[in-house]
Amino acid sequence: DVIIPTNVGLHFTDSAEKIESDGTDLTINAGADINLTAVADVNIPSGVGVTFGNDGEKIEGDGTDLTVASSNDLNLTATTDINIPANVGLTFGDDGEKISGNGTDLTIASSQHINLLGASDTTAQLNFGVTSATDYVIRRDGAHLKFDDGTVGSEKTLTELATAAIDSTGTAFRFVDSG
């Protein structure tokens, strides 16, 4: 063994590159990046996290769950998609609210209500699409709920919607009495 006394660093080239211990913490200083070039995994023990800045930003695993903690926002800035596997949900709070997909259907589950909110308190719009995102629209316009086919001024009554074709196969909206 080579024993280096407390608060005495092992320097590489200059003082900007060194490894040093104060008896409690081991500090690795680099003039630029620190590269871990292992040919296999870099293993961090269970219950030991990697912190960024302070303990408020931390990634830690317990052998079962991986926790990513942030003191404020957590930003995912991918340049393409963020992929969640089929049949794995994105849950909120106590898992009472969940968004999941099975590769075919998207499910939004809630313990009580699902609120779709627009940018203002007088207008909100829900778009349904077969060939485009606005083939059919349910829109709140002030105190009125309007149904239309996505073109301006094409509002429909519930009776008209009951037989409105969604696509060329003849599939249609159907409003039925649940009694």
Side-chain angles (χ1 to χ4, degrees), residues 11-25:
H11 292 261
F12 302 88
T13 307
D14 61 38
S15 62
E17 311 240 342
K18 70 177 181 176
I19 300 172
E20 188 172 325
S21 173
D22 64 3
T24 303
D25 297 326

Side-chain angles (χ1 to χ4, degrees), residues 14-160:
D14 61 38
S15 62
E17 311 240 342
K18 70 177 181 176
I19 300 172
E20 188 172 325
S21 173
D22 64 3
T24 303
D25 297 326
L26 180 66
T27 302
I28 301 174
N29 292 338
D33 294 341
I34 295 175
N35 299 305
L36 301 175
T37 55
V39 294
D41 294 340
V42 175
N43 295 300
I44 298 172
S46 177
V48 175
V50 176
T51 61
F52 302 87
N54 62 43
D55 287 344
E57 283 77 42
K58 184 177 191 176
I59 300 173
E60 185 170 328
D62 64 6
T64 302
D65 297 322
L66 182 66
T67 300
V68 179
S70 175
S71 297
N72 204 0
D73 291 343
L74 178 63
N75 299 304
L76 301 175
T77 55
T79 57
T80 59
D81 296 339
I82 296 172
N83 297 298
I84 298 175
N87 301 311
V88 174
L90 178 62
T91 62
F92 302 89
D94 64 356
D95 295 350
E97 292 76 39
K98 182 176 183 177
I99 300 171
S100 63
N102 64 8
T104 302
D105 297 326
L106 179 68
T107 301
I108 301 174
S110 175
S111 298
Q112 192 167 1
H113 301 293
I114 296 174
N115 300 307
L116 301 173
L117 305 175
S120 79
D121 62 357
T122 58
T123 60
Q125 183 167 305
L126 180 59
N127 301 323
F128 298 89
V130 174
T131 57
S132 75
T134 57
D135 283 344
Y136 296 93
V137 177
I138 299 174
R139 171 187 4 246
R140 177 178 173 224
D141 187 1
H144 303 284
L145 189 60
K146 296 182 177 181
F147 301 84
D148 65 52
D149 66 5
T151 57
V152 176
S154 65
E155 289 82 12
K156 306 280 188 249
T157 66
L158 289 176
T159 302
E160 291 170 319

